């Protein structure tokens, strides 16, 4: 079982996405969220990159490296301020964070 790795103050969202892509996290769950929606219990967060803007809170972003524990499918989900995300997406991401932190 892989423990979630959290990184802070990386260079940019693009740098985090490039690093994850090189590690095989190729599916874009922002576009294909149904995969998460219908089987969220199968996913864990392997990598979590948080960036907090130095001068502007609106620069905040989080990049999640997600993996399906059953199929080993890997992908990313990117969000700015999670408190601005509504409904099921927010609930799923928060639950995945809790689940992944409890496995460390």
């Amino acid at each position: 079982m892989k423990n979630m790795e959290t990184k802070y103050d990386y260079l940019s969202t693009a740098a985090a996405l490039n690093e994850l892509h090189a590690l095989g996290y190729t599916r874009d769950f922002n576009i294909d969220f149904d995969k998460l929606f219908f089987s969220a219990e199968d996913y864990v967060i392997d990598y979590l990159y948080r960036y907090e803007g130095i001068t502007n809170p609106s620069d905040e972003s989080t990049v999640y490296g997600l993996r399906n524990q059953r199929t080993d499918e890997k992908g990313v989900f990117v969000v700015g301020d999670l408190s601005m995300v509504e409904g099921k997406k927010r609930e799923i991401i928060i639950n995945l964070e809790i689940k992944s932190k409890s496995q460390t």
Side-chain angles (χ1 to χ4, degrees):
M1 177 187 320
K2 179 178 181 1
N3 292 333
M4 179 175 68
E5 182 177 332
T6 303
K7 297 183 180 185
Y8 294 93
D9 296 327
Y10 55 91
L11 296 175
S12 67
T13 299
L17 290 170
N18 288 337
E19 184 175 318
L20 287 171
H21 191 270
L23 295 171
Y25 294 80
T26 56
R27 180 168 297 278
D28 184 342
F29 289 114
N30 289 82
I31 294 171
D32 193 11
F33 195 78
D34 283 352
K35 288 252 185 196
L36 285 175
F37 185 83
F38 292 112
S39 59
E41 67 280 353
D42 293 337
Y43 286 87
V44 291
I45 300 170
D46 287 337
Y47 296 94
L48 190 150
Y49 295 77
R50 291 201 194 275
Y51 177 78
E52 297 177 3
I54 296 171
T55 59
N56 188 345
S58 68
D59 290 342
E60 178 181 314
S61 66
T62 303
V63 178
Y64 298 89
L66 305 171
R67 178 177 46 87
N68 185 308
Q69 297 177 98
R70 290 188 318 118
T71 66
D72 208 37
E73 176 182 42
K74 298 175 184 176
V76 296
F77 184 76
V78 182
V79 65
D81 183 350
L82 188 56
S83 67
M84 301 301 284
V85 177
E86 296 181 2
K88 192 69 174 173
K89 281 187 180 182
R90 183 171 188 260
E91 180 182 327
I92 288 171
I93 296 302
I94 288 173
N95 286 339
L96 285 175
E97 276 199 46
I98 292 167
K99 174 182 168 182
S100 296
K101 287 178 183 177
S102 69
Q103 292 180 347
T104 59

